[in-house]
């Protein structure tokens, strides 16, 4: 790979389709991403982050239809539940939704919920989901317990230049997304 490991959107999509990992800008920090159907890629992210398998990961998507393989929508049968979900389509909020019983345990961390964040308000991530045609795994770019990467220099300092980075700017959010359990209404994190 070139010294400059910045890549275009279409190269990033190709990397995701080959079950490899990428780094991309999010609302506030850089994120690791991969195909949610590739245990190998998910394990690689967990390994390089030195992250516990019990923590689970987030699915980024721009459309709830793409969540059908991962979310148990039977628990969301009331129209009021969908109204709650749509309320967060344009706000950086991670929603805990009921997971399907056969979802990869590395995504849920063994929980009965899967973490989901809608990213319609971020054009670059919206484009990833449109062209990849499914959600992508998301977790902050950092070694667990260390500060999340907010610059290319931070990424290179912690991980070198081997992982491709999608060209683009971070969003303007100063904090990580809040986490909300859609069933109970409990706010898990409100940073």
């Amino acid at each position: 790979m070139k010294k400059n490991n910045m890549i275009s959107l279409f190269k990033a999509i190709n990397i995701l389709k080959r079950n490899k990992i990428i780094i991309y800008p999010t609302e506030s920090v850089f994120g690791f991403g991969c195909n949610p159907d590739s245990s190998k890629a998910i394990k690689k992210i967990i390994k390089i982050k030195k992250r516990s398998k019990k923590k689970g990961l987030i699915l980024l998507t721009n459309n709830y239809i793409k969540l059908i393989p991962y979310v148990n929508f039977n628990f969301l049968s009331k129209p009021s539940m969908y109204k709650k979900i749509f309320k967060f389509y344009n706000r950086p909020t991670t929603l805990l939704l009921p997971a399907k019983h056969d979802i990869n345990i590395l995504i849920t961390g063994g929980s009965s919920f899967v973490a989901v964040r809608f990213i319609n308000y971020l054009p670059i991530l919206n484009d990833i989901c449109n062209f990849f045609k499914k959600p992508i795994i998301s977790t902050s770019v950092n070694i667990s317990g260390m500060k999340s990467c907010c610059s290319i220099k931070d990424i290179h300092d912690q991980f070198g230049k081997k992982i491709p980075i999608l060209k683009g700017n971070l969003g303007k959010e100063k904090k990580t997304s809040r986490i909300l359990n859609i069933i109970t209404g409990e706010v898990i994190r409100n940073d």
Side-chain angles (χ1 to χ4, degrees), residues 130-181:
N130 280 335
F131 290 108
F132 190 51
K133 301 190 185 322
K134 61 175 144 181
I136 63 168
I137 290 291
S138 182
T139 184
S140 60
V141 174
N142 63 308
I143 294 171
S144 288
M146 293 181 69
K147 186 176 176 253
S148 297
C149 295
C150 297
S151 71
I152 303 301
K153 182 184 180 323
D154 291 345
I155 295 167
H156 290 163
D157 288 349
Q158 283 192 48
F159 299 101
K161 296 182 179 181
K162 292 181 181 176
I163 304 168
I165 304 170
L166 177 62
K167 290 178 189 173
N169 298 318
L170 291 177
K172 297 185 187 324
E173 294 293 322
K174 300 296 180 212
K175 300 176 181 178
T176 54
S177 68
R178 68 187 144 254
I179 301 174
L180 173 71
N181 183 316

Side-chain angles (χ1 to χ4, degrees), residues 27-116:
E27 306 92 340
S28 58
V29 298
F30 283 92
F32 280 120
C34 72
N35 181 345
D37 299 324
S38 172
S39 289
K40 182 179 176 183
I42 295 170
K43 286 176 185 175
K44 184 172 182 182
I45 289 174
I46 291 169
K47 182 179 179 181
I48 63 177
K49 277 185 63 84
K50 300 177 184 167
R51 181 181 172 99
S52 167
K53 291 179 182 178
K54 294 179 182 177
K55 282 192 164 186
L57 299 161
I58 297 171
L59 292 177
L60 290 186
T61 190
N62 62 347
N63 187 316
Y64 81 94
I65 298 295
K66 292 176 181 154
L67 296 171
I68 289 172
Y70 313 98
V71 173
N72 185 345
F73 284 102
N74 292 333
F75 283 100
L76 301 172
S77 57
K78 296 179 186 173
S80 61
M81 289 290 181
Y82 285 97
K83 198 172 186 180
K84 281 184 191 178
I85 291 171
F86 294 134
K87 178 180 174 183
F88 296 104
Y89 249 49
N90 296 308
R91 295 173 60 192
T93 303
T94 299
L95 303 174
L96 298 180
L97 300 174
K100 281 209 168 166
H101 74 282
D102 59 350
I103 191 171
N104 188 330
I105 195 168
L106 296 173
I107 297 173
T108 64
S111 166
S112 58
F113 290 93
V114 59
V116 172

